[in-house]
Amino acid sequence: MIESITIADVASYGNTPQALDGLSQFTFMFGSNAAGKTTISRVIADEDGFPTCKVTWQRGTRLQTMVYNLDFIDKNFHQSAQLKGVFTLGEKHEDILNKIAAAKAELDVLTRKIETLTHQLQGTDGAGGEKGKLAALESGLKDTCWAQKQKHDATLKGAFEGYRGSSERFKAKVIAEWTSNSAMLVSLAELEKRAEIVFGPTPIGERSIPMVETATLVTYESDPILKKRVVGKNDVDIAALIKKLGNSDWVREGRTFYEASEGVCPFCQQSTTEAFANSLNEYFDEAFETDSKAIEELSTNYKTEAARIQQQIAEIIEAPPKFLDAAKLKAEKDLFDSRVTINIQRLAGKKREPSQSVELESLSNVSSAIKRLVVDTNALVAEHNKMVANLSQERSKLTAQVWKYLLEMELKSDLAAYKLSRDGLDKAVAALETQIKEAKAEKERKQGEIQQLERQTTSIQPTIDGINALLSSFGFLSFSLAKAEDGASYKLVRSDGSDAKATLSEGERSFVTFLYFYHLLKGSDSESGITTDRVVVFDDPVSSLDSDILFIVGTLIKGLFDEVRAGSGHIKQVFVLTHNVYFHREVTFNPKRRDGARKGVTFWVVRKRGLLSELEKCPSNPIKTSYELLWSEVRRSDRSNSTIQNTLRRILENYFKILGGFDLDQLCEKFAGKDKMIFKSLCSWVHAGSHYAYDDLYVSIDDSMIDTYLEVFKAIFDKAGHIAHYKMMMGDTSEGEAP
């Protein structure tokens, strides 16, 4: 059974989809000619031919559709020289009929089984069941993966290139990496640091730093001369005195002045002997001079080497390489400089007082720190330059490591839960699909069995007899249906045997084609398929028919309704579309019904506003009489401007002239000005056969005129003493007023 129909972008239906939903066993649809009814019947007949429309079947089971419309008439009556034979089951083969009935019951069980399994697999709307759970699982993982993309997109977007524009593709990439990624796991900080270079602007090579060699300077710290007390010879006669006084450095310093004063003591200004001069020279012998020279050289070399190192470090800091921690190097240089300054001062003191033992501040630790900075920087430079030389490989490597980080550090638990759920759902889906496949195969075998049984008992003769009996009973005696020469089709013949098809009237053609369709509903145009469940559509089946034949057609259709309600046939659902008010009331009449739609019945109205068709669902039968239909148009707030004038005229014609025989001319004088012109415009149809000077009067109507027309229309009833009828039909009868 059809549950809903959505129509858009076809014929008179626009882009906004129009929906027939909540459909039941019987759907009655009323609409004027060209409103859009036939489009609906065509969509039902061939839903695959209308890709912009959708027909939703109950539990996804598509039934055979049999549609009576202009297309059916044209195909079976106008385009074909003969009517295809309608095969029905013969009543004489009771045993075969019993077998067919049993096989059909088994077929129905298989159909329900397939529907149940399909519902478990995909739900009612195709988006539920186990597949719906699977889709929800995939959607949840997609959202989880996409959240990680958004989280890391600012710093690692280079690794996501090609997948950043689609959450579905991003999720698929995660799944693919999950099964194949063997990259090394790297910290997020390291990934982000490398990403700045690898995924940034194309990098260039960086220069390395020359090694800062401090070994020579450090060795000066252990020079033995620093500890040695440099003094004169101990066996000279003045040695004891110098040693006792401890003024060796003072005496050594005074020698310079003594030699300049030509034997006069520079301190006491006393003349000295030649022996004293010899003793003084002998005390500061060659060994003393050698040690003093060593101190001098050490001091000079230390200053020179320290200055070289300081200059080298200063140049590095002035133009630091990209990967150098310049602030840390500057701090180490400051420490280095302070210790060098102290050591130079201590060496100067040693020069002044060679007899004193000194110890230099060690530069070993600070030198090692500086060397480590240089080594680490050069290592990063080397790695960077290697990366620049192999940029494409580095990008691939880093990309793999980024995905590895996401898999291990961000999505590991989510993926594990996903796999567990996915495995279970896959097994459930596979099991259901297998059962559905087996059930469908069994259903096909059962259908084949039924077809074989049908071929043993089918005949086209019962249809001939049935149609001819109906034609005869309704007074169509000038032609009848006969079996064609091929034995599998029909022809229309006169009483003398001549072909009658070309000479039938429009009403006769319509009626015989309807009877053919009516019998086809209980059979098939082939030897099989007679017992197939089906949906039937009648689209304006009474066009060109006289009123008495219209009644017969309505009676036949209502007979089908009884079969559907009783479940005694193969018709499961019926649609009736018409523009004929009388026929609509005939097929929808139910003496037990008071208000609202009967169970299993839905009512619809097809309207055309401008160039577009619209569908409107009605809680009850929208058509009471053609007269009430006219009033319903007046009551509508969205009434059509272009038709309201004629609608008002037709009401006046029906009520006052046809039903009441009322003369409106005497009311004319009660109106004046524009109201009188409108009165004449509305009443012009009422005076059929009469002609006045104002018969051709045309009053233009637009939005601003509608209210005026409605006021004059109401005033006519008021002045004629029929305001109670007006209020009743408009739905606002006041208390105490009898309609």
Side-chain angles (χ1 to χ4, degrees), residues 72 79 96 243 259 268 270 341 379 397 404 420-421 436-437 478 499 501 530 545 550 563 568 595 613 634 648:
F72 178 86
Q79 295 180 11
I96 297 178
K243 184 175 182 181
E259 291 173 355
C268 65
Q270 298 295 321
T341 299
K397 178 181 177 182
K404 184 69 172 180
L420 182 64
S421 299
I436 291 172
K437 182 178 179 181
S478 61
D499 191 327
K501 182 179 179 182
I530 298 170
L545 296 181
L550 181 150
E563 293 181 16
S568 59
D595 294 321
S613 297
V634 178
L648 299 178

Side-chain angles (χ1 to χ4, degrees), residues 110-119 436 439-440 443:
L110 286 170
T111 299
R112 288 193 294 272
K113 180 180 180 180
I114 292 171
E115 290 176 350
T116 301
L117 292 172
T118 302
H119 185 266
I436 291 172
K440 285 183 175 179
K443 182 178 179 180

Side-chain angles (χ1 to χ4, degrees), residues 445-722:
R445 287 193 292 271
K446 190 60 63 177
Q447 287 173 331
E449 179 184 332
I450 293 173
Q451 290 174 0
Q452 290 297 327
L453 290 170
E454 288 174 343
R455 290 191 181 98
Q456 297 177 35
T457 185
T458 54
S459 170
I460 68 169
Q461 186 60 44
T463 300
I464 296 176
D465 298 338
I467 291 179
N468 286 340
L470 287 171
L471 289 173
S472 177
S473 64
F474 299 145
F476 292 89
L477 304 176
S478 61
F479 69 94
S480 62
L481 200 66
K483 185 183 295 186
E485 287 72 12
D486 60 7
S489 57
Y490 305 135
K491 60 182 179 179
L492 292 167
V493 296
R494 297 293 181 185
S495 57
D496 60 0
S498 62
D499 191 327
K501 182 179 179 182
T503 58
L504 294 180
S505 69
E506 185 66 27
E508 290 172 332
R509 283 198 298 268
S510 296
F511 186 51
V512 76
T513 308
F514 173 80
L515 293 178
Y516 173 75
F517 179 80
Y518 176 78
H519 282 78
L520 185 61
L521 295 179
K522 300 183 179 182
S524 173
D525 57 8
S526 65
E527 291 182 309
S528 61
I530 298 170
T531 58
T532 303
D533 291 341
R534 54 196 58 171
V535 171
V536 176
V537 180
F538 295 98
D539 180 9
D540 265 338
V542 295
S543 295
S544 305
L545 296 181
D546 295 335
S547 59
D548 54 344
I549 302 302
L550 181 150
F551 174 78
I552 297 301
V553 169
T555 301
L556 292 174
I557 292 177
K558 286 195 292 183
L560 294 176
F561 295 168
D562 294 336
E563 293 181 16
V564 174
R565 290 192 177 98
S568 59
H570 305 296
I571 300 174
K572 303 301 179 183
Q573 188 178 27
V574 180
F575 290 79
V576 179
L577 298 81
T578 184
H579 74 284
N580 188 299
V581 174
Y582 177 79
F583 175 73
H584 180 88
R585 286 183 53 78
E586 177 64 25
V587 295
T588 59
F589 178 73
N590 175 26
K592 297 180 181 180
R593 184 172 71 242
R594 295 296 180 264
D595 294 321
R598 186 180 181 183
K599 183 179 179 181
V601 176
T602 55
F603 292 101
W604 294 80
V605 172
V606 186
R607 301 180 186 278
K608 198 169 187 180
R609 303 192 186 283
L611 299 177
L612 299 179
S613 297
E614 295 180 359
L615 303 177
E616 178 183 341
K617 190 173 186 178
C618 304
S620 60
N621 193 340
I623 307 303
K624 304 299 188 294
T625 63
S626 58
Y627 179 67
E628 185 172 357
L629 180 62
L630 293 172
W631 278 97
S632 68
E633 288 297 320
V634 178
R635 291 194 297 267
R636 293 180 64 89
S637 60
D638 57 346
R639 63 183 71 87
S640 172
N641 293 0
S642 61
T643 61
I644 185 62
Q645 188 178 20
N646 289 336
T647 300
L648 299 178
R649 285 175 174 175
R650 291 176 64 187
I651 290 174
L652 295 175
E653 181 179 20
N654 276 273
Y655 184 73
F656 285 104
K657 182 179 181 181
I658 298 176
L659 299 178
F662 194 88
D663 185 4
L664 292 175
D665 287 342
Q666 54 188 301
L667 293 177
C668 181
E669 300 305 320
K670 296 182 180 292
F671 293 88
K674 181 187 292 186
D675 289 351
K676 188 171 185 177
M677 294 171 61
I678 293 174
F679 177 91
K680 293 298 185 181
S681 174
L682 290 176
C683 293
S684 61
W685 282 7
V686 177
H687 301 290
S690 300
H691 298 278
Y692 300 91
Y694 49 78
D695 272 357
D696 295 328
L697 177 65
Y698 175 77
V699 180
S700 175
I701 185 167
D702 55 25
D703 290 342
S704 63
M705 291 284 293
I706 292 179
D707 291 340
T708 304
Y709 265 85
L710 293 174
E711 289 172 2
V712 171
F713 177 73
K714 180 180 179 180
I716 292 174
F717 283 89
D718 188 20
K719 296 179 187 299
H722 290 259

